[in-house]
Amino acid sequence: MPDPITKVEPIVLRIPFDDGGKGQGITPTRWSNLDIVLVRVETRAGLVGWGEAFGYMCQNATAIAVRDLVAPAVIGRDSQDPQAVNLAAQQALALFGRYGITLFAISGLDIALWDIAGKRAGLSLSRLIGSPCHDGIRAYASLVRYGEAERVEHFAAEAAALGYDEVKLHEVLPETIRAGRRGAGPKARLTVDVNCQWSLEQVRTMLPVLAETEVNWLEEPTFPPEDPTPWRAIAAEGIAIAAGENACTAVEFARLVPALDVVQPSVTKVGGVTEFVKVAQLVRAAGKRLAPHSPYFGPGYWASLQLAAAIDAFEVFEFLYVRPEAWCGLDPVLPVGGDIRIPDVPGIGFEPDMSVIERYRV
């Protein structure tokens, strides 16, 4: 029997966090809050699923898209087929922009539907979409941009002391990248995310620094992030290129994957679990590395862990190295010695902490 969707509700949270820095350099204004867009989906049978739509700095727009675009497009559809609902939502909303906010909103819906599917079957998401390959995953410490060598070195060393054997920097200056290597130590893997702030000429100028500090991959080095042409030129210089956090749907990834060494889909942006799994199949077929984007503290975190359990190519888990004032889910599974244990519970494993949700709800 069908189990129609009866309610799709966005819930916006603003949870302060501390990162030891100034919160400047990447976002339009100072970044000191986790803007989380929860997507709560309910069915006629009374099942409730939780998803997360990307919301950092765009939380209000994303929430409105969930409420005013996604919900009307899917209420009444059978919740038992997340892939069909996802496709129906994409088709219904194509007029309003294929990517960006529209897909962020659909991503939250899709994660919630897969959460419901797992709960209905009594299976974890990883078991629902395949046989789990891992019961744990290695995490790397994804540092914010500090812009000051002393701070970069301090926090890279702190992460290394906690057991992280890989550290990502969001730095763009030679002195701060060198500081990250000093802090992480000579044995750690070091990666650098430029957030599209270099030109191809600047990348070439920085190549000696990247070689000196033994950077494992260079992430989104040039603008715009949907143009892979400069990446091919950079890769020819011997540096691995990573990208994908800003790409939506497997259609877009089919175009980008050939130009990448490391592929980074984000479950809260790409189109949810449905599109993420398609991207993972493309990555496997192309023989590329899969290191997804997952700096989340809501259902996106839990869903990413389940995908890590289910997909053998999932190489490493991105853990945003900040201290949130609270987690909106009960019993978050955090890295210990640089490793995260993946729970085997129905759905994505997220159970809301309603006291936190009520406290931080916008």
Side-chain angles (χ1 to χ4, degrees):
M1 292 288 293
D3 184 15
I5 298 167
T6 57
K7 189 174 184 179
V8 178
E9 177 189 12
I11 300 171
V12 177
L13 308 180
R14 169 157 282 199
I15 300 178
F17 70 85
D18 176 50
D19 58 23
K22 298 178 181 178
Q24 298 173 341
I26 298 177
T27 52
T29 60
R30 184 175 185 272
W31 190 36
S32 58
N33 294 289
L34 301 172
D35 297 313
I36 299 171
V37 181
L38 301 176
V39 180
R40 183 184 182 275
V41 176
E42 191 171 341
T43 75
R44 181 181 292 172
L47 292 173
V48 174
W50 293 87
E52 180 178 353
F54 185 80
Y56 295 161
M57 295 281 168
C58 61
Q59 70 278 9
N60 294 325
T62 300
I64 290 171
V66 172
R67 185 193 69 194
D68 294 351
L69 295 176
V70 172
V74 303
I75 285 176
R77 292 189 176 273
D78 188 5
S79 66
Q80 297 179 92
D81 191 344
Q83 295 169 315
V85 176
N86 187 310
L87 177 60
Q90 289 194 45
Q91 290 177 322
L93 303 179
L95 180 64
F96 307 101
R98 281 284 291 139
Y99 300 147
I101 298 295
T102 305
L103 258 294
F104 299 172
I106 291 173
S107 297
L109 166 76
D110 186 84
I111 294 168
L113 289 175
W114 280 103
D115 187 34
I116 289 171
K119 291 173 178 175
R120 182 184 287 116
L123 297 172
S124 65
L125 174 63
S126 63
R127 294 188 182 278
L128 198 65
I129 63 177
S131 300
C133 308
H134 312 117
D135 58 9
I137 186 73
R138 181 173 63 87
Y140 70 83
S142 185
L143 276 57
V144 301
R145 181 172 298 174
Y146 295 103
E148 299 174 4
E150 184 177 353
R151 288 180 188 268
V152 175
E153 184 171 354
H154 169 80
F155 286 105
E158 182 181 90
L162 290 173
Y164 292 98
D165 63 4
E166 182 168 345
V167 174
K168 180 195 283 185
L169 308 178
H170 289 81
E171 303 296 331
V172 294
L173 301 174
E175 59 268 27
T176 52
I177 293 173
R178 290 188 177 109
R181 169 52 74 193
R182 289 196 302 271
K187 295 182 180 179
R189 291 212 303 185
L190 191 72
T191 60
V192 173
D193 184 356
V194 179
N195 296 108
C196 306
Q197 293 189 3
W198 285 344
S199 66
L200 182 56
E201 292 71 25
Q202 287 173 304
V203 174
R204 287 177 169 145
T205 299
M206 289 295 295
L207 284 174
V209 177
L210 301 177
E212 170 196 333
T213 53
E214 298 182 310
V215 167
N216 186 270
W217 78 60
L218 181 63
E219 186 171 335
E220 287 197 330
T222 56
F223 181 85
E226 65 271 21
D227 180 10
T229 305
W231 305 343
R232 297 187 181 98
I234 298 166
E237 301 286 348
I239 183 76
I241 299 298
E245 71 174 81
N246 289 310
C248 298
T249 78
V251 174
E252 183 72 352
F253 273 92
R255 187 178 65 82
L256 296 179
V257 165
L260 291 172
D261 301 288
V262 184
V263 186
Q264 300 176 300
S266 173
V267 73
T268 72
K269 289 182 171 183
V270 72
V273 173
T274 295
E275 292 289 342
F276 190 106
V277 170
K278 294 178 185 177
V279 173
Q281 292 168 346
L282 291 172
V283 173
R284 174 181 292 193
K288 301 301 178 75
R289 298 164 62 188
L290 180 66
H293 178 256
S294 56
Y296 305 125
F297 295 85
Y301 180 90
W302 276 261
S304 295
L305 284 176
Q306 288 297 316
L307 290 162
I311 299 170
D312 57 358
F314 199 121
E315 181 178 298
V316 65
F317 188 93
E318 179 179 20
F319 185 82
L320 184 60
Y321 195 72
V322 303
R323 294 172 293 278
E325 197 169 279
W327 282 74
C328 62
L330 296 169
D331 302 320
V333 183
L334 304 179
V336 177
D339 295 312
I340 305 179
R341 176 184 57 83
I342 303 174
D344 186 9
V345 294
I348 65 171
F350 175 84
E351 290 298 332
D353 186 329
M354 296 309 299
S355 65
V356 171
I357 290 173
E358 291 308 313
R359 179 180 178 186
Y360 294 98
R361 187 168 185 165
V362 177

